[in-house]
Coordinates of all heavy atoms in Angstrom, one line a residue:
E1 N 179.7 296.9 174.9 CA 179.1 298.2 175.3 C 178.1 298.6 174.3 O 178.2 298.4 173.1 CB 180.2 299.3 175.4 CG 180.9 299.3 176.7 CD 181.8 300.4 176.8 OE1 181.4 301.6 176.8 OE2 183.1 300.2 176.9
S2 N 177.1 299.3 174.8 CA 176.1 299.9 173.9 C 176.3 301.4 173.8 O 176.6 302.0 174.8 CB 174.7 299.5 174.4 OG 174.5 298.2 174.4
F3 N 176.0 301.9 172.7 CA 176.1 303.3 172.4 C 174.9 303.8 171.7 O 174.3 303.1 170.9 CB 177.4 303.7 171.6 CG 178.6 303.3 172.3 CD1 179.2 302.1 172.0 CD2 179.3 304.2 173.1 CE1 180.4 301.8 172.6 CE2 180.5 303.9 173.7 CZ 181.0 302.6 173.5
C4 N 174.5 305.1 171.9 CA 173.4 305.6 171.1 C 174.0 306.0 169.8 O 175.2 306.2 169.7 CB 172.8 306.8 171.8 SG 173.9 308.3 171.9
M5 N 173.2 306.2 168.8 CA 173.7 306.5 167.4 C 174.4 307.8 167.4 O 175.3 308.0 166.6 CB 172.6 306.4 166.4 CG 172.1 305.0 166.2 SD 173.4 303.8 165.8 CE 173.9 304.3 164.2
K6 N 174.1 308.8 168.3 CA 174.7 310.1 168.3 C 176.2 309.9 168.8 O 177.0 310.8 168.5 CB 174.0 311.0 169.2 CG 172.7 311.4 168.7 CD 172.0 312.4 169.7 CE 170.6 312.7 169.3 NZ 169.9 313.5 170.3
C7 N 176.5 308.9 169.5 CA 177.8 308.7 170.1 C 178.7 307.9 169.2 O 179.9 307.7 169.5 CB 177.7 308.0 171.4 SG 176.8 308.8 172.7
L8 N 178.2 307.5 168.0 CA 179.0 306.7 167.1 C 179.4 307.4 165.9 O 178.7 308.3 165.4 CB 178.3 305.4 166.7 CG 177.9 304.5 167.9 CD1 177.1 303.3 167.4 CD2 179.2 303.9 168.5
K9 N 180.6 307.0 165.3 CA 181.0 307.5 164.0 C 181.1 306.3 163.1 O 181.7 305.3 163.4 CB 182.4 308.2 164.3 CG 183.0 308.7 163.1 CD 182.6 310.2 162.9 CE 183.4 310.8 161.8 NZ 182.8 312.0 161.3
E10 N 180.6 306.5 161.9 CA 180.6 305.4 160.9 C 181.6 305.6 159.9 O 181.7 306.7 159.3 CB 179.2 305.2 160.3 CG 179.2 304.0 159.3 CD 177.8 303.8 158.7 OE1 176.8 304.4 159.2 OE2 177.8 303.1 157.7
V11 N 182.4 304.6 159.6 CA 183.4 304.7 158.5 C 183.4 303.3 157.8 O 183.6 302.3 158.4 CB 184.9 304.9 159.1 CG1 185.9 304.9 158.0 CG2 184.9 306.1 160.0
R12 N 183.1 303.4 156.5 CA 183.0 302.1 155.7 C 182.2 301.1 156.4 O 182.6 299.9 156.5 CB 184.4 301.6 155.4 CG 185.3 302.6 154.6 CD 186.6 302.1 154.3 NE 187.0 300.8 154.8 CZ 188.3 300.4 155.0 NH1 189.2 301.2 154.7 NH2 188.5 299.3 155.4
K13 N 181.0 301.5 156.9 CA 180.0 300.6 157.5 C 180.5 300.0 158.8 O 180.0 299.0 159.3 CB 179.6 299.5 156.5 CG 178.9 300.1 155.3 CD 178.3 299.0 154.5 CE 177.7 299.7 153.2 NZ 177.0 298.7 152.4
I14 N 181.6 300.6 159.4 CA 182.1 300.2 160.7 C 181.7 301.3 161.7 O 182.0 302.5 161.4 CB 183.6 299.9 160.7 CG1 183.9 298.8 159.7 CG2 184.1 299.4 162.1 CD1 185.4 298.7 159.4
H15 N 181.2 301.0 162.9 CA 180.8 302.0 163.8 C 181.9 302.0 165.0 O 182.2 301.0 165.5 CB 179.4 301.7 164.4 CG 178.4 301.8 163.4 ND1 177.9 300.8 162.6 CD2 177.6 302.9 163.1 CE1 177.0 301.2 161.8 NE2 176.8 302.5 162.1
F16 N 182.3 303.3 165.3 CA 183.3 303.5 166.3 C 182.7 304.5 167.3 O 182.0 305.5 166.9 CB 184.6 304.1 165.7 CG 185.3 303.3 164.8 CD1 185.1 303.4 163.4 CD2 186.3 302.4 165.3 CE1 185.8 302.5 162.5 CE2 187.0 301.6 164.4 CZ 186.8 301.6 163.0
C17 N 183.0 304.3 168.6 CA 182.8 305.4 169.5 C 183.8 306.5 169.2 O 184.8 306.2 168.5 CB 182.9 304.9 171.0 SG 184.6 304.4 171.4
Y18 N 183.7 307.7 169.7 CA 184.6 308.8 169.3 C 186.0 308.5 169.8 O 187.0 308.8 169.1 CB 184.1 310.1 169.8 CG 183.0 310.7 169.0 CD1 181.7 310.7 169.4 CD2 183.4 311.2 167.7 CE1 180.7 311.2 168.5 CE2 182.4 311.6 166.8 CZ 181.1 311.7 167.3 OH 180.1 312.1 166.4
E19 N 186.2 307.9 170.9 CA 187.6 307.6 171.4 C 188.3 306.6 170.5 O 189.4 306.8 170.1 CB 187.5 307.0 172.8 CG 188.8 306.5 173.3 CD 188.7 305.7 174.7 OE1 187.6 305.7 175.2 OE2 189.8 305.2 175.1
H20 N 187.6 305.5 170.1 CA 188.2 304.5 169.2 C 188.3 305.0 167.8 O 189.1 304.6 167.0 CB 187.4 303.2 169.3 CG 187.6 302.6 170.7 ND1 186.6 301.8 171.2 CD2 188.6 302.6 171.5 CE1 187.0 301.4 172.4 NE2 188.3 301.9 172.6
Y21 N 187.4 305.9 167.4 CA 187.5 306.5 166.0 C 188.8 307.2 165.9 O 189.5 307.1 164.8 CB 186.3 307.5 165.8 CG 186.5 308.2 164.5 CD1 186.3 307.6 163.2 CD2 186.8 309.5 164.5 CE1 186.4 308.2 162.1 CE2 187.0 310.2 163.3 CZ 186.8 309.6 162.1 OH 186.9 310.3 160.9
N22 N 189.2 308.0 166.9 CA 190.5 308.7 166.8 C 191.7 307.7 166.7 O 192.7 308.0 166.0 CB 190.7 309.6 168.1 CG 189.8 310.8 168.0 OD1 189.5 311.3 166.9 ND2 189.3 311.3 169.1
I23 N 191.6 306.6 167.4 CA 192.7 305.6 167.3 C 192.7 305.0 165.8 O 193.7 304.9 165.2 CB 192.4 304.4 168.3 CG1 192.6 304.9 169.7 CG2 193.4 303.2 168.0 CD1 192.2 303.9 170.8
Y24 N 191.5 304.8 165.3 CA 191.3 304.3 163.9 C 192.0 305.2 162.9 O 192.7 304.8 162.0 CB 189.9 304.0 163.6 CG 189.6 303.7 162.2 CD1 189.8 302.4 161.7 CD2 189.1 304.6 161.3 CE1 189.6 302.1 160.4 CE2 188.9 304.3 160.0 CZ 189.1 303.1 159.5 OH 188.9 302.8 158.2
K25 N 191.6 306.5 163.0 CA 192.1 307.5 162.1 C 193.6 307.8 162.1 O 194.2 308.1 161.1 CB 191.3 308.8 162.2 CG 189.9 308.8 161.7 CD 189.9 308.4 160.2 CE 190.0 309.6 159.4 NZ 189.8 309.4 158.0
T26 N 194.2 307.7 163.3 CA 195.6 308.1 163.5 C 196.6 307.0 163.5 O 197.8 307.2 163.6 CB 195.7 308.9 164.8 OG1 195.4 308.1 165.9 CG2 194.9 310.2 164.8
S27 N 196.1 305.8 163.3 CA 197.0 304.6 163.4 C 197.2 304.0 162.0 O 196.4 304.1 161.1 CB 196.4 303.5 164.3 OG 196.2 304.1 165.6
K28 N 198.3 303.3 161.9 CA 198.6 302.5 160.7 C 198.1 301.1 161.0 O 198.7 300.4 161.9 CB 200.1 302.5 160.3 CG 200.4 301.7 159.1 CD 201.8 302.0 158.7 CE 202.3 301.0 157.5 NZ 201.4 301.0 156.4
W29 N 197.2 300.5 160.2 CA 196.6 299.2 160.5 C 197.2 298.2 159.5 O 197.3 298.5 158.3 CB 195.1 299.3 160.3 CG 194.5 300.2 161.4 CD1 194.2 301.5 161.3 CD2 194.1 299.8 162.7 NE1 193.7 302.0 162.4 CE2 193.6 301.0 163.3 CE3 194.0 298.6 163.4 CZ2 193.1 300.9 164.6 CZ3 193.6 298.6 164.6 CH2 193.1 299.7 165.2
L30 N 197.4 297.0 160.0 CA 197.9 295.9 159.3 C 196.9 294.7 159.3 O 196.3 294.5 160.4 CB 199.2 295.4 159.8 CG 200.4 296.4 159.9 CD1 201.5 295.8 160.6 CD2 200.7 296.8 158.4
K31 N 196.7 294.0 158.2 CA 195.9 292.9 158.2 C 196.6 291.8 159.0 O 197.7 291.3 158.7 CB 195.5 292.4 156.8 CG 194.5 291.2 156.8 CD 194.2 290.6 155.5 CE 194.5 291.2 154.3 NZ 194.0 290.4 153.1
L32 N 195.9 291.3 160.1 CA 196.5 290.3 160.9 C 196.1 288.9 160.5 O 196.9 288.0 160.4 CB 196.0 290.5 162.4 CG 196.5 289.4 163.4 CD1 198.0 289.5 163.6 CD2 195.8 289.7 164.7
F33 N 194.8 288.8 160.1 CA 194.3 287.4 159.8 C 193.0 287.6 159.0 O 192.2 288.5 159.3 CB 194.0 286.6 161.1 CG 193.7 285.2 160.8 CD1 194.6 284.3 160.5 CD2 192.3 284.8 161.0 CE1 194.2 282.9 160.3 CE2 192.0 283.5 160.8 CZ 192.9 282.6 160.5
S34 N 192.7 286.7 158.1 CA 191.4 286.7 157.5 C 190.9 285.2 157.4 O 191.7 284.3 157.4 CB 191.4 287.3 156.1 OG 192.2 286.6 155.2
T35 N 189.6 285.1 157.3 CA 189.0 283.7 157.2 C 187.6 283.8 156.5 O 187.1 284.9 156.4 CB 188.8 283.1 158.6 OG1 188.4 281.7 158.4 CG2 187.7 283.8 159.4
H36 N 187.2 282.7 155.9 CA 185.9 282.6 155.3 C 185.1 281.6 156.1 O 185.6 280.5 156.4 CB 186.1 282.1 153.8 CG 186.9 283.0 153.0 ND1 186.4 284.2 152.4 CD2 188.2 283.0 152.6 CE1 187.4 284.8 151.8 NE2 188.5 284.1 151.9
V37 N 183.9 282.0 156.4 CA 183.0 281.2 157.2 C 181.6 281.2 156.6 O 181.4 282.0 155.7 CB 182.9 281.6 158.7 CG1 184.2 281.5 159.4 CG2 182.4 283.0 158.8
S38 N 180.7 280.3 157.0 CA 179.4 280.3 156.5 C 178.4 280.0 157.6 O 178.8 279.6 158.7 CB 179.2 279.2 155.4 OG 179.3 277.9 155.9
N39 N 177.1 280.1 157.3 CA 176.1 279.8 158.3 C 176.1 278.3 158.6 O 175.7 277.8 159.7 CB 174.7 280.2 157.9 CG 174.3 279.7 156.5 OD1 175.1 279.7 155.6 ND2 173.1 279.3 156.4
R40 N 176.7 277.5 157.8 CA 176.9 276.0 158.0 C 178.1 275.7 158.9 O 178.1 274.7 159.5 CB 177.0 275.3 156.7 CG 175.7 275.3 155.9 CD 175.8 274.5 154.7 NE 174.6 274.8 153.8 CZ 174.6 274.6 152.5 NH1 175.7 274.2 151.9 NH2 173.5 274.9 151.8
N41 N 179.1 276.6 158.9 CA 180.3 276.3 159.6 C 180.8 277.7 160.2 O 181.8 278.3 159.7 CB 181.4 275.7 158.7 CG 182.6 275.3 159.5 OD1 182.6 275.3 160.7 ND2 183.7 275.1 158.8
P42 N 180.2 278.2 161.3 CA 180.6 279.5 161.8 C 181.7 279.5 162.8 O 182.1 280.6 163.3 CB 179.3 279.9 162.5 CG 178.7 278.6 163.0 CD 179.0 277.6 161.9
Q43 N 182.3 278.3 163.1 CA 183.3 278.3 164.1 C 184.5 279.2 164.0 O 185.0 279.8 164.9 CB 183.8 276.8 164.3 CG 182.7 275.9 164.8 CD 182.0 276.4 166.1 OE1 182.7 276.8 167.0 NE2 180.7 276.3 166.1
G44 N 185.0 279.3 162.7 CA 186.2 280.2 162.5 C 185.9 281.6 162.8 O 186.7 282.4 163.4
G45 N 184.6 282.1 162.5 CA 184.2 283.5 162.9 C 184.1 283.7 164.4 O 184.5 284.7 164.9
I46 N 183.6 282.7 165.1 CA 183.4 282.8 166.5 C 184.8 282.9 167.2 O 185.0 283.7 168.0 CB 182.7 281.5 167.0 CG1 181.2 281.6 166.6 CG2 182.7 281.5 168.6 CD1 180.4 280.3 166.7
K47 N 185.8 282.1 166.7 CA 187.1 282.1 167.2 C 187.8 283.5 167.0 O 188.4 284.0 167.8 CB 188.0 281.0 166.6 CG 187.7 279.6 167.1 CD 188.5 278.6 166.4 CE 188.1 277.2 166.8 NZ 188.9 276.2 166.1
L48 N 187.5 284.0 165.8 CA 188.1 285.3 165.5 C 187.6 286.4 166.4 O 188.3 287.3 166.8 CB 187.8 285.7 164.0 CG 189.1 285.8 163.2 CD1 188.8 285.5 161.7 CD2 189.6 287.2 163.3
F49 N 186.2 286.4 166.6 CA 185.6 287.5 167.5 C 186.1 287.3 168.9 O 186.3 288.3 169.6 CB 184.1 287.5 167.3 CG 183.7 288.2 166.1 CD1 183.4 287.6 164.9 CD2 183.5 289.6 166.2 CE1 183.0 288.3 163.8 CE2 183.1 290.3 165.1 CZ 182.9 289.7 163.9
N50 N 186.3 286.1 169.4 CA 186.9 285.8 170.7 C 188.3 286.3 170.8 O 188.7 286.9 171.8 CB 186.8 284.4 171.1 CG 185.4 283.9 171.4 OD1 184.5 284.7 171.8 ND2 185.1 282.7 171.2
L51 N 189.1 286.1 169.7 CA 190.4 286.7 169.7 C 190.4 288.2 169.8 O 191.2 288.8 170.5 CB 191.1 286.2 168.4 CG 192.5 286.7 168.1 CD1 193.5 286.1 169.1 CD2 193.0 286.2 166.7
K52 N 189.5 288.8 169.0 CA 189.4 290.3 169.1 C 189.1 290.7 170.5 O 189.7 291.7 171.0 CB 188.3 290.7 168.2 CG 188.0 292.2 168.2 CD 186.8 292.5 167.4 CE 186.4 294.0 167.7 NZ 185.0 294.2 167.6
K53 N 188.2 290.1 171.2 CA 187.9 290.4 172.6 C 189.1 290.3 173.5 O 189.4 291.2 174.3 CB 186.8 289.5 173.2 CG 185.4 289.9 173.0 CD 184.6 288.9 173.8 CE 183.2 288.9 173.2 NZ 182.3 287.9 173.9
N54 N 189.9 289.3 173.3 CA 191.1 289.1 174.1 C 192.2 290.2 173.9 O 192.8 290.7 174.8 CB 191.8 287.7 173.9 CG 190.9 286.6 174.5 OD1 190.2 286.8 175.5 ND2 191.0 285.4 173.9
F55 N 192.3 290.6 172.6 CA 193.2 291.7 172.3 C 192.8 293.0 173.0 O 193.6 293.7 173.7 CB 193.3 292.0 170.8 CG 194.4 291.1 170.1 CD1 194.0 290.0 169.4 CD2 195.7 291.5 170.2 CE1 194.9 289.2 168.8 CE2 196.7 290.7 169.5 CZ 196.3 289.6 168.8
W56 N 191.5 293.3 173.0 CA 191.0 294.5 173.6 C 191.1 294.4 175.1 O 191.3 295.4 175.8 CB 189.5 294.8 173.2 CG 189.5 295.6 172.0 CD1 189.1 295.1 170.7 CD2 189.8 296.9 171.8 NE1 189.2 296.1 169.8 CE2 189.6 297.3 170.4 CE3 190.3 297.9 172.6 CZ2 189.9 298.5 169.9 CZ3 190.6 299.2 172.1 CH2 190.3 299.5 170.8
K57 N 191.0 293.2 175.7 CA 191.1 293.1 177.2 C 192.6 293.5 177.6 O 192.8 294.0 178.7 CB 190.9 291.6 177.6 CG 189.4 291.3 177.7 CD 189.3 289.9 178.2 CE 187.8 289.5 178.1 NZ 187.6 288.0 178.4
N58 N 193.5 293.2 176.7 CA 194.9 293.6 176.9 C 195.3 295.0 176.3 O 196.4 295.3 176.2 CB 195.8 292.5 176.3 CG 195.7 291.2 177.0 OD1 195.8 291.2 178.2 ND2 195.5 290.2 176.3
K59 N 194.2 295.8 176.0 CA 194.4 297.2 175.6 C 195.1 297.3 174.2 O 195.8 298.2 174.0 CB 195.1 298.0 176.6 CG 194.5 298.0 178.0 CD 193.2 298.7 178.0 CE 192.7 298.8 179.5 NZ 191.3 298.7 179.6
I60 N 195.0 296.2 173.4 CA 195.6 296.3 172.1 C 194.5 296.5 171.1 O 193.6 295.7 170.9 CB 196.3 294.9 171.7 CG1 197.4 294.7 172.8 CG2 196.8 294.9 170.3 CD1 198.0 293.3 172.7
P61 N 194.5 297.7 170.4 CA 193.5 298.0 169.4 C 193.4 297.1 168.2 O 194.5 296.7 167.7 CB 193.8 299.4 169.0 CG 194.6 300.0 170.1 CD 195.4 298.8 170.6
I62 N 192.2 296.6 167.9 CA 192.0 295.7 166.8 C 190.6 295.9 166.3 O 189.7 296.3 167.1 CB 192.3 294.3 167.3 CG1 192.4 293.3 166.1 CG2 191.3 293.8 168.3 CD1 193.0 291.9 166.5
Y63 N 190.4 295.7 165.0 CA 189.0 295.8 164.6 C 188.8 294.8 163.5 O 189.7 294.2 162.9 CB 188.6 297.2 164.1 CG 189.1 297.7 162.8 CD1 188.3 297.5 161.6 CD2 190.4 298.2 162.6 CE1 188.8 297.9 160.4 CE2 190.9 298.6 161.4 CZ 190.1 298.4 160.3 OH 190.5 298.8 159.0
V64 N 187.5 294.6 163.2 CA 187.1 293.5 162.2 C 186.3 294.2 161.1 O 185.4 295.0 161.3 CB 186.2 292.5 162.9 CG1 185.6 291.5 161.9 CG2 186.9 291.7 164.0
E65 N 186.6 293.7 159.9 CA 185.8 294.1 158.7 C 185.1 292.8 158.2 O 185.8 291.7 158.2 CB 186.6 294.7 157.6 CG 187.1 296.1 157.8 CD 187.8 296.7 156.7 OE1 187.8 296.1 155.5 OE2 188.4 297.8 156.8
T66 N 183.9 292.9 157.8 CA 183.2 291.7 157.3 C 182.5 292.0 155.9 O 182.2 293.2 155.7 CB 182.1 291.2 158.2 OG1 181.2 292.3 158.5 CG2 182.7 290.7 159.5
S67 N 182.4 291.0 155.1 CA 181.6 291.2 153.9 C 180.9 289.8 153.7 O 181.3 288.8 154.2 CB 182.5 291.4 152.7 OG 183.5 290.4 152.5
Y68 N 179.7 289.9 153.0 CA 178.8 288.8 152.9 C 178.5 288.5 151.5 O 178.5 289.4 150.6 CB 177.5 289.1 153.6 CG 177.7 289.5 155.1 CD1 177.8 290.8 155.5 CD2 177.9 288.5 156.1 CE1 178.0 291.1 156.8 CE2 178.0 288.8 157.4 CZ 178.1 290.2 157.7 OH 178.3 290.5 159.0
K69 N 178.3 287.2 151.2 CA 177.8 286.7 149.9 C 176.7 285.7 150.2 O 176.9 284.8 151.0 CB 179.0 286.1 149.1 CG 178.6 285.7 147.7 CD 179.8 285.3 147.0 CE 179.9 283.8 146.9 NZ 181.1 283.3 146.1
I70 N 175.6 285.9 149.6 CA 174.4 285.1 149.8 C 174.1 284.2 148.6 O 174.0 284.7 147.5 CB 173.2 285.9 150.2 CG1 173.4 286.7 151.5 CG2 171.9 285.0 150.4 CD1 172.4 287.7 151.8
N71 N 174.0 282.9 148.8 CA 173.7 282.0 147.8 C 172.3 281.5 148.1 O 172.1 280.6 149.0 CB 174.7 280.8 147.8 CG 174.4 279.8 146.7 OD1 173.3 279.6 146.3 ND2 175.5 279.2 146.2
M72 N 171.3 282.1 147.5 CA 169.9 281.7 147.8 C 169.6 280.3 147.4 O 168.8 279.6 148.1 CB 168.9 282.7 147.0 CG 169.1 284.1 147.4 SD 168.6 284.4 149.1 CE 166.9 284.6 148.9
G73 N 170.1 279.7 146.3 CA 169.8 278.4 145.9 C 170.2 277.3 146.9 O 169.5 276.3 147.1
E74 N 171.3 277.6 147.6 CA 171.8 276.6 148.6 C 171.5 277.1 150.1 O 172.0 276.5 151.0 CB 173.3 276.4 148.5 CG 173.6 275.8 147.1 CD 175.1 275.5 147.0 OE1 175.8 275.3 148.1 OE2 175.7 275.6 145.9
S75 N 170.8 278.2 150.2 CA 170.5 278.8 151.6 C 171.8 278.9 152.3 O 171.9 278.6 153.5 CB 169.5 277.9 152.3 OG 168.3 277.9 151.7
L76 N 172.8 279.5 151.7 CA 174.1 279.7 152.3 C 174.5 281.1 152.3 O 174.4 281.9 151.4 CB 175.1 278.9 151.4 CG 176.5 278.8 151.9 CD1 176.6 278.0 153.1 CD2 177.4 278.2 150.8
I77 N 175.0 281.5 153.5 CA 175.5 282.9 153.7 C 177.0 282.7 154.0 O 177.4 282.1 155.0 CB 174.9 283.6 154.9 CG1 173.4 283.7 154.6 CG2 175.5 285.0 155.1 CD1 172.6 284.2 155.8
E78 N 177.8 283.2 153.1 CA 179.3 283.1 153.2 C 179.8 284.5 153.7 O 179.4 285.5 153.2 CB 179.9 282.8 151.9 CG 179.5 281.4 151.4 CD 180.0 281.1 150.0 OE1 179.8 282.0 149.1 OE2 180.5 280.0 149.8
T79 N 180.7 284.4 154.7 CA 181.2 285.7 155.3 C 182.7 285.7 155.2 O 183.4 284.7 155.5 CB 180.8 285.8 156.7 OG1 179.4 285.7 156.8 CG2 181.2 287.1 157.3
T80 N 183.3 286.8 154.8 CA 184.7 287.0 154.8 C 185.0 287.9 156.0 O 184.4 289.0 156.1 CB 185.3 287.6 153.6 OG1 185.0 286.8 152.5 CG2 186.8 287.9 153.6
I81 N 185.8 287.5 156.9 CA 186.1 288.3 158.1 C 187.6 288.6 158.1 O 188.5 287.7 158.0 CB 185.8 287.5 159.4 CG1 184.3 287.1 159.4 CG2 186.1 288.3 160.6 CD1 183.9 286.1 160.5
I82 N 188.0 289.9 158.3 CA 189.4 290.3 158.3 C 189.6 291.0 159.6 O 188.9 291.9 160.0 CB 189.7 291.2 157.1 CG1 189.3 290.5 155.8 CG2 191.2 291.6 157.1 CD1 189.4 291.4 154.6
L83 N 190.7 290.6 160.3 CA 191.1 291.3 161.5 C 192.3 292.2 161.2 O 193.2 291.8 160.6 CB 191.6 290.2 162.5 CG 190.8 289.8 163.7 CD1 191.3 288.6 164.3 CD2 190.6 290.9 164.6
F84 N 192.1 293.4 161.7 CA 193.2 294.5 161.5 C 193.7 294.8 162.9 O 193.0 295.0 163.9 CB 192.7 295.7 160.8 CG 192.3 295.5 159.4 CD1 191.1 295.0 159.0 CD2 193.3 295.7 158.4 CE1 190.8 294.8 157.6 CE2 193.0 295.5 157.1 CZ 191.8 295.1 156.7
I85 N 195.1 295.1 163.0 CA 195.7 295.4 164.2 C 196.7 296.5 164.0 O 197.2 296.7 162.8 CB 196.4 294.2 164.8 CG1 196.8 294.4 166.3 CG2 197.6 293.7 164.0 CD1 197.2 293.1 167.0
I86 N 197.0 297.3 165.0 CA 198.1 298.4 164.9 C 199.4 297.7 164.9 O 199.7 296.8 165.6 CB 198.0 299.3 166.1 CG1 196.7 300.1 166.0 CG2 199.2 300.3 166.1 CD1 196.5 301.1 167.1

C-alpha cells in the first residue's frame, strides 16, 4: 500500500501507518529471525520479505529492521535484516 507522508508515523527510521503504529507501540516484540545479505547475494533478503508478506496475509503482525554497511573498495553493500513478531 502507498501512504502520503502525513499518514505515516516514523519510529527509528521505520514508517508505520497510524493503525499499525498502535500495534507497534502496544505490543511486545520478539526477534524471530535475522540474516545478512549483500548486493551480490540478495536471495536471503528476498525470502525474508516474502515471509513477512505471508505473515501479514494471515493477519499476524510482523515488521523488519534493516541496517547497511557499504564497502566502496569492493562495490559491496551488506545488509542486516531482522524480523520481529508479536
